[in-house]
Amino acid sequence: MGGGGGGSLGSLGDIRDLEKKAKEELQKGERRNTFLSFDSNDIDEVNLLRAHAKNEKSDIEFIDRSVREPFDSERAEYIKQKITERIRQSSQTIVYVSEKTYKSDWVDWEIKKSIELGKRVIAVYKGDKRPNKLPQAIIDNKIAVVSWANLPKKL
């Protein structure tokens, strides 16, 4: 005879109701922890977008760890481990794309890692014109690419 715990589970309806209430509470004024992926050459534009988000009292809080280290450097595995931790702590990933981003092995890897960890990924660009070339991981995974102005609608 198997021993059983004395507790009982509530009905499925009770669990769903509790789940719904928890989600509502999380969404109330809560800032979304967002991993920001970008090519290090775009740091000035990214900083402007970050400041813009703060000025608008956005509900997005960006996490980034700019990497200027070559993708195949001796420290690459350590850096990947640290970036993986940051992505894991986030609720979503936003990829800033410019005309240079498609060349970045780091951005491509961060997109793939975000997807592997089950994170929602959205690509964003500044201005009205979408970059002509995008990182392969954006194309392969059919990731939405939106202008910064339209980002709140996608979140």
Side-chain angles (χ1 to χ4, degrees):
M1 300 249 166
S8 65
L9 293 176
S11 73
L12 189 56
D14 291 341
I15 293 171
R16 286 193 178 134
D17 190 44
L18 183 59
E19 219 175 76
K20 180 182 173 190
K21 287 178 184 175
K23 285 180 183 177
E24 287 170 359
E25 285 301 312
L26 287 172
Q27 291 174 351
K28 282 185 189 173
E30 205 50 44
R31 292 177 70 109
R32 279 177 270 194
N33 203 354
T34 301
F35 181 80
L36 181 59
S37 177
F38 61 94
D39 183 279
S40 61
N41 293 314
D42 292 325
I43 188 70
D44 292 336
E45 290 174 331
V46 167
N47 283 337
L48 285 173
L49 293 175
R50 255 193 289 225
H52 182 70
K54 282 184 182 177
N55 288 340
E56 290 185 354
K57 297 185 180 175
S58 171
D59 64 346
I60 302 171
E61 181 176 350
F62 291 115
I63 294 177
D64 82 76
R65 295 290 177 256
S66 304
V67 179
R68 292 187 182 266
E69 193 86 22
F71 190 75
D72 58 354
S73 75
E74 290 178 19
R75 295 186 38 184
E77 285 309 310
Y78 172 77
I79 294 168
K80 286 178 182 179
Q81 182 181 27
K82 292 299 178 188
I83 291 171
T84 298
E85 288 174 25
R86 298 294 182 204
I87 294 171
R88 192 172 275 124
Q89 294 167 358
S90 70
S91 58
Q92 60 190 352
T93 296
I94 293 180
V95 183
Y96 178 78
V97 291
S98 70
E99 292 297 335
K100 305 168 226 163
T101 312
Y102 77 94
K103 297 177 189 174
S104 173
D105 290 326
W106 281 113
V107 170
D108 207 58
W109 180 85
E110 290 167 348
I111 294 165
K112 291 173 184 173
K113 181 56 72 172
S114 295
I115 292 167
E116 177 187 316
L117 294 173
K119 305 301 177 179
R120 180 176 181 211
V121 180
I122 301 170
V124 64
Y125 60 90
K126 182 177 136 189
D128 298 326
K129 188 174 183 279
R130 176 181 155 157
N132 292 323
K133 292 185 176 183
L134 296 168
Q136 194 60 45
I138 289 176
I139 296 163
D140 292 347
N141 293 286
K142 298 177 178 62
I143 293 169
V145 181
V146 300
S147 69
W148 180 260
N150 290 325
L151 182 60
K153 295 175 191 170
K154 287 300 265 184
L155 299 176

